[in-house]
Amino acid sequence: MRKWLLSILILTLAVVLMACGSDDNEESSNEEEAASGDSKWEEIQEEGELVVGTSGTLYPASFYPEDSDELTGYDVEIMKEIADRLDLEISFEEYGVDGLLSAIDSGRVDVVANDMEVTNSRDESFDFSEPYKHSYATMIVREDDLSGIETLEDIEGKVHGGGATTVFAQIAEHYGAEIESYGNVTNDVYLRDVENGRTDLIINDYYLQSLALQALPELEVTQHPDLQFHPSDSAIVMGEGEEELKEKMDETLNEMREDGTLTELSEEFFGGKDASQEPEEDVEEIEGLDL
């Protein structure tokens, strides 16, 4: 009886030790993998390709020209130039704005370039390159009555059209607007909905809105003449802690800034304006909104 009990105790102890040993080995293995595992930059180098997430519907950052199946735009051409200078092939994966960051998390893309604004909340989960675009927000409203909006406070109770997770939607909600969310649609859909009254306003980037209006002059909508607010920087987004990848992106962007490539691309896509430089306009900061 005593021998039987002793055997059971020894067997039980062995199982416990085996289990503990297994956990320790697994943790040790995971730690070793984390320490010695390939970084995203090493993975990109090994594949020889940079996979970029973008929308393909955001003129002039990422879009298809009429009668063309060739993706282009300010952000797209910047990424093509970066890949070329880093001796990499490049491919683009298209997602709606609300799905771009999750595409980084899932590993479907290496980086995102889609006029993505640097914010405090995004910076908690992702890393950003140095900015390649400096701008601010304006709003598109109906031409005849400015959608009844004279100040930012007048947004309360109005309907804002745009992606639900964008900074611009957060600004609209901050002032009490209702959000009408869209999928991955083109600019004319947003603008026509303001014109026909389905929505009242679209808060978005100054440069993007200026060019969208130029492209669709027949629509009876306009940029609000008196409201310039929320200065912003746009940059390449990548996974958190990818220091080597960030270093490569920053080095290449700085080269492109110094040799005039960023200015040249900006002037090409933003009607002769240099969005790679800080704006000179007096732009209102929004208080009480942590972005």
Side-chain angles (χ1 to χ4, degrees):
M1 178 68 176
R2 189 173 298 172
K3 290 183 179 179
W4 176 81
L5 181 58
L6 182 60
S7 298
I8 293 295
L9 288 173
I10 292 173
L11 180 59
T12 302
L13 182 59
V15 171
V16 171
L17 288 175
M18 287 173 62
C20 290
S22 176
D23 288 344
D24 289 343
N25 289 338
E26 186 175 344
E27 287 180 13
S28 175
S29 175
N30 289 341
E31 288 173 1
E32 289 174 5
E33 286 178 11
S36 63
D38 291 344
S39 69
K40 175 57 72 172
W41 171 241
E42 290 172 329
E43 180 185 318
I44 291 169
Q45 284 185 301
E46 185 176 339
E47 295 293 332
E49 181 182 49
L50 181 65
V51 182
V52 181
T54 194
S55 68
T57 59
L58 185 62
Y59 178 83
S62 170
F63 69 101
Y64 291 91
E66 189 173 359
D67 300 325
S68 173
D69 58 2
E70 180 71 24
L71 183 67
T72 188
Y74 181 55
D75 295 49
V76 170
E77 296 305 323
I78 285 175
M79 296 311 303
K80 288 179 181 178
E81 181 69 17
I82 288 174
D84 184 60
R85 294 189 185 207
L86 293 175
D87 197 26
L88 296 169
E89 297 295 321
I90 190 169
S91 64
F92 293 91
E93 296 291 333
E94 295 172 24
Y95 299 91
V97 173
D98 294 340
L100 284 170
L101 295 182
S102 62
I104 295 177
D105 281 334
S106 67
R108 289 172 288 172
V109 302
D110 300 319
V111 299
V112 161
N114 199 68
D115 198 51
M116 193 65 72
E117 182 180 337
V118 181
T119 67
N120 293 333
S121 59
R122 288 173 179 164
D123 198 38
E124 291 177 359
S125 304
F126 301 92
D127 284 346
F128 288 87
S129 70
E130 291 294 313
Y132 54 79
K133 178 170 169 282
H134 304 277
S135 188
Y136 55 89
T138 57
M139 71 175 71
I140 288 178
V141 291
R142 283 184 286 280
E143 200 169 52
D144 58 352
D145 64 349
L146 303 183
S147 298
I149 299 170
E150 295 183 8
T151 68
L152 288 173
E153 286 71 21
D154 294 332
I155 294 174
E156 184 174 2
K158 304 291 186 182
V159 181
H160 174 271
T165 63
T166 65
V167 168
F168 306 113
Q170 292 179 59
I171 294 172
E173 286 183 313
H174 177 70
Y175 286 102
E178 175 188 340
I179 306 300
E180 179 66 34
S181 182
Y182 293 74
N184 201 22
V185 300
T186 52
N187 285 332
D188 63 301
V189 176
Y190 290 99
L191 298 180
R192 292 184 194 282
D193 279 356
V194 173
E195 181 186 45
N196 64 33
R198 184 168 182 258
T199 59
D200 298 302
L201 70 147
I202 305 167
I203 297 175
N204 210 307
D205 175 77
Y206 162 73
Y207 291 105
L208 301 188
Q209 290 196 327
S210 298
L211 291 171
L213 291 175
Q214 288 179 26
L216 297 161
E218 72 279 7
L219 298 182
E220 295 182 0
V221 294
T222 185
Q223 251 176 341
H224 200 292
D226 303 319
L227 299 178
Q228 295 88 33
F229 50 96
H230 185 61
S232 62
D233 296 325
S234 297
I236 303 164
V237 195
M238 62 205 83
E240 187 178 23
E242 296 296 345
E243 296 179 4
E244 285 185 283
L245 179 57
K246 173 176 166 53
E247 183 179 343
K248 293 298 180 182
M249 295 295 108
D250 287 347
E251 286 177 355
T252 312
L253 282 170
N254 286 331
E255 288 175 5
M256 293 167 63
R257 183 174 289 105
E258 290 171 5
D259 66 21
T261 302
L262 286 183
T263 295
E264 182 180 333
L265 288 173
S266 176
E267 289 176 347
E268 176 184 351
F269 288 100
F270 293 117
K273 298 177 181 178
D274 189 0
S276 71
Q277 301 297 320
E278 296 275 1
E280 298 178 355
E281 288 81 0
D282 185 18
V283 180
E284 178 183 351
E285 294 271 7
I286 296 176
E287 296 183 359
L289 179 60
D290 183 18
L291 293 172

